[in-house]
Amino acid sequence: MKNFIKLTGLIGIMLVIGFFTTSCKTLDSGEGNKLATPKNVKIEINVRQMIITWDAVPNALGYEIITTSENCGSGNRTINTKENTAVAPNGNNALAGGNNLAASNGMVQIHARNKVEITLMPEWNKPGDNQSGRNESKIMATSVTAKVKAIGGARGNTDSDFSETVTFDTSDL
């Protein structure tokens, strides 16, 4: 009977150890946490500059920002701050290199961890106007949108969901 009690106790201890060992998550298991979705996404228009900002997400290695512009393609971009890329739907790179501040249409600048800027195309003057050419103080786009997601990878963190799409109606400018 004594041996039976010892054997039962030993089996019980092994089961408890086995249970706790298999139920614990390990750091190198590849399982991670989904990053938080970026909040407070905002679009600001300053003459021809579309400036997108958002709240930084802890542990994010970078961000993917998708923007669109209605009535003009210069604001249609997919920006990846981790890879330092900005691509137009036609596949052309639109990122400004170094300190290039020339305001070419569709150019993207990554200013900070949570701030990017796109130069939008100016509006062309309408036929019959006294001026010819472009109106540099007004943009062609009638509205612009942006959504942002945090990019994971560090410590097993996975990408967040995209934020809600924010829209800015430019008709009031």
Side-chain angles (χ1 to χ4, degrees), residues 71-135:
N71 197 37
C72 171
S74 62
N76 297 335
R77 300 287 179 259
T78 299
I79 304 162
N80 184 315
T81 64
K82 178 183 173 192
E83 303 294 328
N84 202 35
T85 59
V87 180
N90 63 8
N92 290 338
N93 187 346
L95 194 64
N99 293 323
N100 180 3
L101 298 178
S104 62
N105 299 332
M107 182 188 77
V108 174
Q109 293 185 26
I110 300 171
H111 289 293
R113 182 171 181 205
N114 57 340
K115 180 180 180 181
V116 297
E117 175 183 325
I118 301 172
T119 303
L120 299 171
M121 182 179 283
E123 181 178 71
W124 286 93
N125 289 320
K126 295 176 179 67
D129 285 352
N130 291 335
Q131 301 172 347
S132 62
R134 296 178 177 188
N135 180 354

Side-chain angles (χ1 to χ4, degrees), residues 35 38 41 52 54 60-67 77-87 110 113-114 116 146-152 159-163:
L35 292 173
V41 178
I52 302 109
W54 59 92
L61 296 179
Y63 299 90
E64 181 177 333
I65 305 98
I66 297 178
T67 63
R77 300 287 179 259
T78 299
I79 304 162
N80 184 315
T81 64
K82 178 183 173 192
E83 303 294 328
N84 202 35
T85 59
V87 180
I110 300 171
R113 182 171 181 205
N114 57 340
V116 297
K147 62 183 179 179
V148 181
K149 81 172 177 180
I151 299 172
D159 294 356
S160 73
D161 293 326
F162 272 103
S163 67

Side-chain angles (χ1 to χ4, degrees), residues 22 88 131 140 170:
T22 59
Q131 301 172 347
M140 186 180 290
T170 63

Side-chain angles (χ1 to χ4, degrees), residues 16-31:
V16 169
I17 291 171
F19 173 77
F20 284 115
T21 303
T22 59
S23 66
C24 292
K25 195 188 298 187
T26 59
L27 291 177
D28 58 7
S29 69
E31 296 178 27

Side-chain angles (χ1 to χ4, degrees), residues 33-45:
N33 296 320
K34 189 172 199 173
L35 292 173
T37 302
K39 303 281 185 223
N40 297 318
V41 178
K42 294 182 179 126
I43 300 173
E44 177 185 330
I45 304 288

Side-chain angles (χ1 to χ4, degrees), residues 44-72:
E44 177 185 330
I45 304 288
N46 184 3
V47 185
R48 288 181 49 208
Q49 297 354 94
M50 177 170 116
I51 301 161
I52 302 109
T53 58
W54 59 92
D55 291 345
V57 173
N59 299 318
L61 296 179
Y63 299 90
E64 181 177 333
I65 305 98
I66 297 178
T67 63
T68 64
S69 57
E70 197 68 36
N71 197 37
C72 171

